[in-house]
Structure formats: C-alpha cells, structure tokens
Amino acid sequence: MRTRLFSLIFKEFLAIWKDPKSRTLILLPPILQLLIFVNAATMEVKNIKLGVIDRSNSIESRELISRFEASRWFKKVVYVKNEKNLRILMNNKLIMAGLLIDDDFNKRVNAKKPTKVQVVLDGRQTNSAGIISSYASQIVSSYDKTYIGQGGAGINIDIRNWFNPNLEFKWYTLVSMITLLSVVTTLLLTSLSIARERELGTFEQLTVSPLRPVEILIGKTVPPLCISVVVTLVMMTIAKLCFNLPFTGNIYLLIFATIVALLSIVGIGLFISSICKTQQQAILGAFTFQMPATLISGFVSPIEDMPQAFQVISAINPLRYHLVIGKGLFLKDMQAPDVIINLIPLMLIALLTLSVATYMFKAKLD
Amino acid sequence: MNPILKALIFKEFKQIVRDPSTIIIAFLLPFILLLIYMYGIQLDTVRVSLGIKNDDNTPETQTLVKSFGHSKYVNSTIYDDRNEMYEDIVRGKLRGAITIPNDFSKKLSKGETADILVIADGSETNLANYVQSYASAISANWLNYASKYKYKVEVPVVSTDIRYWFNQEIDSHHFILPGSLAVTMTLIGILLTALVVAREWERGTMEAILTTKATKMDIVLGKYIPYFILGMCSMMFSVFMIVTVFQIPFRGSYLILFAVAGLFLISSLGFGLLISTVLKNQFLASQAALSVGFLPSLMLSGLVFPISSMPLWIQWISYFIPASYFVSFITSEFLAGTVMIVFLANSLYLSLLGAILFFAVYHKTQMRLDQ
C-alpha cells in the first residue's frame, strides 16, 4: 500500500512538474505579480495636476499656490482664466483638482478677516477625490498657521502607529498579496486535478487501479500542497529580502500555519474538482469561490464594517483567517495561542471539504 | 453568413447552454459580486473601534469623551487601565487607543496647544489613517464648537470650501459598481475564452473541425461571435442591475456605453483566445489568463489604486490592459455623462488593441495538426 501511494504521489508530481511550460507558469506569475502589484498598490495620490484660477493675483495668493506646488502630492499647476475652462479641463481628465482664489483674498488675509478658497475635485474618482481633499485642507491650514500666524488654543494629535510606524502601505499589501496569490495558485493546482482526469478519460484508469479512494485523494492532496507551500515561502523570502518586510513572529509557527492554511484551500479545490465534470466547470467554480472570498476577507474593506449577513458568511471564509495570521506573524508578533485560535477554523474547513471530496469520490467510483 | 460559420456558432452556443457553469459565470457571479460591492465594501466612511483613557478627569474632558461616543464613525470604549487598552490593540479588538493627558484642560485654558496621544494599529495601514483623521476631526470640532475654550481659539483666516464635481454625495459606490464591471467582464472575456480553443485541442475535436471546409476566418469568428454575444448579455444584465436594483445614477447614453463595452469585450476576447490558441492546454491557459487577465485588471486598472500614482514602468504595463481604458470610460459615462474626449480616446485605444489581438489570434490559428 505504501509503494502504491508513493507512486501515485510521484505520478502527480510528474504530471505538474515534467512540462517546462507548466513549471514556469506555476512559479513565475506569482513572483512577478508580487513584484508588480506591491509597487502599484498605494493609497497615496501622487502626481496630481491642479488647475488654478487666481483672481487675487497677489503675493498672498501666490504664496498659497506655491505651497500646493511644493507639496509632494501636486505635480503640475495649470493657470486657467475662468470656471468654464476649468470645467473643460476636468471633464477631459486633464486635471484632477482645481483651486479658486477670489479677488479680495489678499485684502481679507491682511485684515485677518475669514475667507475661503474653493477646491473642486473630480468626483468620478471618488476615492482619490476624498484623499486629495484632505491634502488640500492640510496645505491650507498650515498656510493659515505658519504664514498668517493664526494660533491660540488648539489640539495636536500626537499619533504613533504600532507595528508599522511609518504606515508603509507596502507592508500591508505584501502580506495580503502573498496570501491572495498563494490561494490562487493552490486553487488552480487542485480544482483542475480530478476534473482533468475525468475530462481526459484517465479517471477510469485510476478506478481500475487497486488504489482506495482515500489513497487517491491523498495522492491528489500532497503534491499541490507541497508546491504551493514552496511557492508561498519563496514569495515570503522575496518580501523579506527585496521589500524589507519585517518578520516578528516565530518562523516554525509560520511554516506550520502556512501548511494548515493552504491545506484548507487544497480541500476546497478538491471539493470543487470532485463535483465538476469538466475542467471548465472546475476553473469557473474555483472563481465563483475565489472572487467573493477575496472581497469579503477584510483585504479591501474591514469585516467589522460589513452588514451582519456578510459577517456571518465571512466566519467560514478561509481567506479571512489567512490574513489575520499573516499580518499577525509578520507585523504584530502574534503568539502561538492566538495563531492556533485562528487555525482551528481552517482545520475544520480542511477536514470538512476533504471528507466531502472523498465521499463524492467514493460515490463516483462505485 | 456562410453555413459553416453558422454551424460553428450554433455548436458553440449549444456548448454554452448545456454547461451550467457558463450561466453561473455570466449572470449569477456578477450579481453576487455587485451585491458585495454595494453592501459589503465601504471605501469612504469606515467605522473604527477606538479605546479612550481619560487621565484629565474634568467636566470639560468628559464632554470630549462623549463627543467621541456620539460620532457615527466611531465605536468607542472607555478604559481605566492603559495596559488593557493596549493589549486590545494587539488582539485586534481596537484599531486605535486615545489617551487624554492630565494637563489637557490646563493647557487649553491658557490658550495653548494641548496634546492628545493616539496609538493606531499600523498593521491595518488604511484604517490607521482613518483613526488619525477621525481623532483630529472630532477633537477639533469639540474644541471649536462645544467646549468652553472656544473663545480661546483664533478663528482660521483661510479655510477650504470643497466641492465635488460629478458626484456631490461623494459616494464611492457610484464609482466602484460601474468600475467593477471591468473586472467581472474579464471572467467571460479572458478566462472563459482562454479555455475554449484549448479545450478543442485537448479533446481532439479540433481535428474534426479541421477536416471540414471551415476557413481560418470561420474558426476564429466561430469563437469570437458566440462569446461576444454571451459577454454583451452579461454586461447588459449587470448594467440593468446597477441602475435598477442598486439605484446608481446613470447620466450617460446607453448606446455609447454598450458600444464601448463591445470594444472592450472584443479586446478581452482577443486576449483570451490568443492565450488559448497558443497554449492549447486548459490548465496552462487558465493560469495564464489569471496572470494577464483577472489579477492585473483588478490591481492595475485604476479601480482600486490610482494609475497616476504608480511608478512609470507599471503605468506602461497598465496601457496594455483593456480594463484600464474601460474603468476610465465607464465611471465617467455613469457620473459625468458622455464626455467626447474620454469616449473617443478610450474607444480608439480599445479598437487598436482589439484589432492587433484579432490579427494575432488569426495569425496563430493553426490549420494543420502537425506544426
């Protein structure tokens, strides 16, 4: 029985590994994507083009404009004659923000009478618009304090960010992307495996072999699990070496948690594969799981902020626990008991999906 | 239309209708995703849990603590023990911890600047930014309007008056729901079509097609047309849902919307079919479709992260992704109505990309088994 099982595992490894195209397509994309996406993901809005209507045309107004120009967010300042031209520029997406200064600006500033500058933003890019508005308010309020010298009582927020002192968005993206990419790779490797044998007719050969259903399933579990654990560890090493992602937890705990976490995904993949007849169904099935699971994992938007129904569903979403463990071990020095609490749901998911897959398998074999 | 092409299209349609997975991917999954984007994802107003420890127990600071409790963006809990509060940050129960130091009211009454100490959970990087801005907004609001120190504050001379054009309510759902279609459509446009030619080669049915009188053009169009129709149906269904069920305002023209959607779909189909034609293997094709289709469309299209902030070499990559043109177009069409330059520029790019990919697919389509 031992040799039987080993030769099946060996055969599965070969099926994935012997083809050079398949090798490259499993290893290369996750690593490349990690490098690209981590550099692409930023919540900061930079290189903002600003249109300015300066009706005051005074030292005071030019000082304010130059503060916009000098900040690291705004790149290009375009002077515009009137509101109509400003609207045309914004319509055509040539500027992302506009600044309007009235003609009595300098008089009011010198007399210390309250005045307003208008900032218009392109609401089509809702997210960026919100962020730019806070940049603009910051610049104007610092102008108010340092140039005009308004003071008096005030409150200063003295903020410290634990676990990520400079709020490096890259750290957050790295941990999330590693999780996401390793889940994608694992799902792809497993969801197609049984469906492919069935579509190509090699499934019958398995059924006439002396292997028991459980053995076949183990043979289908071990190779993809090993490959995806290795791919994940490679991505983590890259994150550490190329992006200086700190690692605060215990390395053995991380490896153990990665294996358990990916086992739950292998379970889901094999479950999908066992109920599908063709590879097309399997891959589309994998996506029907993957896309919603990614969106409600807490990666895009916090879970505690979702409606009750989504919170209930996310309790059985393995990606959610992956993210908590990943962030915990890399950034927050999470201790073993807390890691294990988050691993228990993953173990249950693995146990459930793998047993259902075995059952479906048995039913098909008999 | 010649009878062979007609037969090929008919055959493809039968395959689409007989497989429930196509219907799921074209209609059910888009609907589920829209539901999640609408109700599950909040990008502009996020509620955060904050802990508050008041070391300056005066009636005035108590009103400040109350102001935090009244904010609809904050779930506040009052702590007596600082260590307990900090431990709840490590556990992930709190996103931020606020300490009001014991000299707080003394400094304010002297007309000085008083500090509030805030600890934020930086591992949730984005939420940490919210913690900071809520803490400063709530405390500034309290100081200027509710506290007895409001007379000690020198009113700012210059303040900003912010206007949002095209989306006054600044509701991110108006942006994300239409924009998300660019990602959802890659499922049909790239992923599904990446499988269809590879499937014929893997199963050996390509041989059967090659023995007929079908020309190269018949074979290529026989794949483009059915999936184009399926994709357009799915698109119309999603737009219908967005406008009627989710009540997102649409200010543009449906004719122009679907015309550009068609161009977007053609270039996506080109990507999918090219992958499929070159790789001839469903496993490899799906891996490749993921790598050039779904994930880049999600990350590099401008839907989640602004393209203009990305490093230049990544901006160049985004020019080759059809979704980045479509996100730019569809969000503008929904919120601002038809803007000629946005419409024409994006259509031009999409047509160009679609034409190049079509010729590549045509060129790579093999008419012999042994090559």
Side-chain angles (χ1 to χ4, degrees):
Chain A
M1 180 222 151
R2 266 252 181 94
T3 46
R4 258 193 343 237
L5 186 56
F6 274 124
S7 46
L8 180 66
I9 293 179
F10 188 62
K11 175 227 140 199
E12 288 293 326
F13 259 119
L14 277 186
I16 302 170
W17 210 244
K18 69 160 201 291
D19 180 7
K21 263 192 207 161
S22 143
R23 257 190 326 236
T24 0
L25 273 174
I26 289 166
L27 272 182
L28 210 57
I31 293 167
L32 273 182
Q33 282 167 350
L34 187 72
L35 294 174
I36 295 175
F37 295 159
V38 167
N39 279 303
T42 167
M43 278 294 166
E44 219 182 5
V45 185
K46 281 181 282 193
N47 307 326
I48 306 166
K49 288 175 198 139
L50 178 75
V52 176
I53 302 177
D54 182 5
R55 294 204 176 102
S56 162
N57 203 5
S58 56
I59 302 170
E60 289 78 9
S61 67
R62 279 194 292 272
E63 168 68 24
L64 180 62
I65 295 164
S66 76
R67 284 178 183 232
F68 271 87
E69 225 167 346
S71 77
R72 62 201 178 101
W73 307 299
F74 292 87
K75 194 177 78 174
K76 210 166 126 193
V77 172
V78 192
Y79 286 89
V80 191
K81 260 199 205 127
N82 51 34
E83 248 181 272
K84 199 179 148 215
N85 291 350
L86 191 74
R87 192 167 267 275
I88 292 172
L89 285 179
M90 186 156 320
N91 261 335
N92 297 337
K93 299 198 172 186
L94 297 172
I95 52 171
M96 284 169 89
L99 175 70
L100 285 80
I101 303 175
D102 281 338
D103 47 10
D104 60 348
F105 179 79
N106 53 329
K107 270 184 219 142
R108 297 189 77 99
V109 163
N110 289 329
K112 291 208 171 187
K113 274 192 202 153
T115 177
K116 280 190 171 170
V117 290
Q118 211 184 93
V119 174
V120 289
L121 297 162
D122 186 347
R124 285 173 290 186
Q125 312 260 351
T126 322
N127 233 350
S128 305
I131 296 167
I132 299 172
S133 86
S134 73
Y135 296 160
S137 310
Q138 269 180 53
I139 294 171
V140 170
S141 109
S142 107
Y143 173 86
D144 203 66
K145 288 206 180 78
T146 57
Y147 186 72
I148 305 175
Q150 285 303 85
I155 295 178
N156 171 44
I157 303 291
D158 178 12
I159 188 151
R160 289 185 207 151
N161 297 296
W162 280 4
F163 319 122
N164 186 354
N166 298 321
L167 288 190
E168 290 266 5
F169 195 66
K170 273 196 178 123
W171 293 2
Y172 177 77
T173 328
L174 273 169
V175 179
S176 313
M177 281 321 293
I178 291 172
T179 308
L180 199 61
L181 291 171
S182 66
V183 167
V184 169
T185 310
T186 317
L187 263 184
L188 208 62
L189 283 173
T190 49
S191 64
L192 287 176
S193 66
I194 301 172
R196 177 170 45 198
E197 301 240 15
R198 203 173 288 153
E199 186 173 335
L200 297 181
T202 49
F203 190 71
E204 268 88 62
Q205 289 170 20
L206 273 183
T207 59
V208 294
S209 73
L211 290 158
R212 283 184 293 141
V214 182
E215 290 174 346
I216 296 180
L217 215 77
I218 296 174
K220 291 275 177 202
T221 305
V222 176
L225 183 63
C226 292
I227 292 173
S228 36
V229 168
V230 170
V231 171
T232 309
L233 293 176
V234 168
M235 285 194 285
M236 287 172 175
T237 318
I238 291 176
K240 182 98 187 72
L241 296 179
C242 303
F243 295 101
N244 290 320
L245 177 71
F247 180 74
T248 54
N250 180 315
I251 183 79
Y252 300 106
L253 200 56
L254 177 76
I255 294 173
F256 175 69
T258 306
I259 294 172
V260 175
L262 290 178
L263 185 66
S264 70
I265 302 296
V266 169
I268 289 171
L270 286 178
F271 166 69
I272 292 171
S273 205
S274 71
I275 56 170
C276 289
K277 287 202 196 79
T278 60
Q279 294 184 72
Q280 182 193 319
Q281 286 179 1
I283 190 78
L284 298 184
F287 261 79
T288 310
F289 161 75
Q290 155 98 38
M291 288 179 77
T294 307
L295 288 176
I296 56 169
S297 64
F299 167 52
V300 195
S301 162
I303 294 170
E304 67 246 40
D305 211 32
M306 293 177 189
Q308 204 62 39
F310 285 124
Q311 293 197 22
V312 173
I313 300 170
S314 87
I316 54 164
N317 180 3
L319 266 69
R320 168 195 180 158
Y321 303 102
H322 284 210
L323 284 178
V324 172
I325 297 171
K327 258 176 249 160
L329 283 174
F330 271 95
L331 301 175
K332 293 171 89 170
D333 188 17
M334 200 186 237
Q335 295 304 304
D338 286 327
V339 175
I340 288 165
I341 288 172
N342 283 293
L343 279 178
I344 290 170
L346 291 174
M347 289 176 187
L348 290 177
I349 291 170
L351 193 70
L352 184 74
T353 49
L354 285 171
S355 10
V356 175
T358 318
Y359 173 79
M360 293 297 297
F361 219 64
K362 252 187 208 155
K364 291 260 161 65
L365 284 181
D366 294 337
Chain B
M1 197 192 284
N2 74 58
I4 292 182
L5 178 55
K6 224 182 217 170
L8 280 175
I9 294 174
F10 184 65
K11 171 218 127 206
E12 207 68 42
F13 263 119
K14 270 204 159 157
Q15 275 181 311
I16 291 173
V17 174
R18 280 184 188 163
D19 195 329
S21 69
T22 357
I23 303 303
I24 290 177
I25 213 84
F27 302 104
L28 187 64
L29 188 58
F31 181 66
I32 295 174
L33 291 174
L34 285 177
L35 263 181
I36 295 177
Y37 279 117
M38 185 70 199
Y39 299 109
I41 290 183
Q42 298 293 339
L43 292 173
D44 23 45
T45 50
V46 179
R47 272 177 77 92
V48 292
S49 303
L50 297 181
I52 302 174
K53 165 122 175 45
N54 188 356
D55 286 341
D56 186 29
N57 217 341
T58 59
E60 277 305 302
T61 55
Q62 273 165 13
T63 62
L64 173 61
V65 171
K66 267 191 201 130
S67 309
F68 275 99
H70 290 154
S71 164
K72 60 176 177 168
Y73 301 127
V74 172
N75 261 336
S76 68
T77 319
I78 295 163
Y79 285 81
D80 293 323
D81 180 13
R82 187 186 306 236
N83 289 331
E84 197 189 321
M85 179 162 80
Y86 287 174
E87 252 161 45
D88 277 349
I89 287 198
V90 180
R91 284 197 205 106
K93 270 192 189 167
L94 293 179
R95 299 301 178 196
I98 294 175
T99 309
I100 301 171
N102 52 20
D103 58 354
F104 185 79
S105 2
K106 204 189 287 172
K107 277 193 170 168
L108 284 182
S109 57
K110 277 195 243 159
E112 289 170 6
T113 299
D115 289 315
I116 288 183
L117 182 66
V118 179
I119 306 270
D121 177 356
S123 72
E124 289 289 340
T125 317
N126 214 12
L127 290 184
N129 283 321
Y130 281 107
V131 170
Q132 171 162 27
S133 59
Y134 290 160
S136 74
I138 292 170
S139 57
N141 205 39
W142 169 81
L143 178 70
N144 294 337
Y145 302 107
S147 73
K148 68 173 185 193
Y149 309 110
K150 59 186 169 198
Y151 306 107
K152 305 251 178 194
V153 181
E154 288 180 24
V155 190
V157 172
V158 186
S159 52
T160 36
D161 173 22
I162 294 192
R163 302 266 168 87
Y164 296 97
W165 280 352
F166 314 120
N167 187 359
Q168 277 91 351
E169 318 84 88
I170 194 78
D171 183 344
S172 66
H173 293 127
H174 294 184
F175 166 76
I176 202 98
L177 260 80
S180 75
L181 289 187
V183 180
T184 315
M185 283 302 125
T186 59
L187 286 177
I188 294 179
I190 301 185
L191 191 66
L192 183 60
T193 47
L195 300 175
V196 294
V197 178
R199 186 173 62 195
E200 306 262 14
W201 283 106
E202 232 174 57
R203 289 180 178 172
T205 47
M206 194 48 124
E207 211 176 325
I209 296 176
L210 292 182
T211 56
T212 65
K213 278 185 184 162
T215 60
K216 215 171 174 177
M217 193 51 97
D218 288 338
I219 295 179
V220 173
L221 285 180
K223 294 289 178 195
Y224 261 97
I225 295 172
Y227 291 96
F228 178 77
I229 295 173
L230 180 72
M232 284 310 275
C233 290
S234 166
M235 186 72 160
M236 286 176 188
F237 170 77
S238 298
V239 169
F240 177 74
M241 284 293 154
I242 290 178
V243 176
T244 58
V245 178
F246 300 110
Q247 304 271 330
I248 303 292
F250 178 70
R251 304 192 178 103
S253 131
Y254 285 106
L255 194 69
I256 288 176
L257 176 69
F258 288 116
V260 181
L263 289 175
F264 167 62
L265 208 55
I266 289 172
S267 52
S268 302
L269 291 175
F271 254 119
L273 290 175
L274 186 64
I275 291 168
S276 201
T277 310
V278 172
L279 290 174
K280 298 197 183 95
N281 170 308
Q282 291 185 76
F283 170 67
L284 299 178
S286 49
Q287 173 70 287
L290 261 177
S291 319
V292 304
F294 169 65
L295 289 170
S297 301
L298 180 69
M299 302 290 295
L300 307 180
S301 64
L303 179 69
V304 191
F305 307 109
I307 294 180
S308 59
S309 307
M310 295 174 191
L312 211 56
W313 62 279
I314 296 178
Q315 293 192 23
W316 273 98
I317 297 176
S318 81
Y319 295 146
F320 292 97
I321 299 168
S324 52
Y325 301 108
F326 194 58
V327 168
S328 160
F329 163 76
I330 195 173
T331 51
S332 180
E333 190 69 18
F334 260 80
L335 288 162
T338 306
V339 178
M340 263 307 155
I341 288 189
V342 175
F343 159 56
L344 290 176
N346 288 309
S347 326
L348 186 71
Y349 286 127
L350 284 172
S351 320
L352 209 64
L353 202 59
I356 294 171
L357 288 165
F358 183 86
F359 283 114
V361 173
Y362 184 77
H363 179 70
K364 286 282 173 191
T365 300
Q366 244 173 259
M367 295 301 286
R368 294 175 62 88
L369 290 179
D370 50 347
Q371 253 176 0

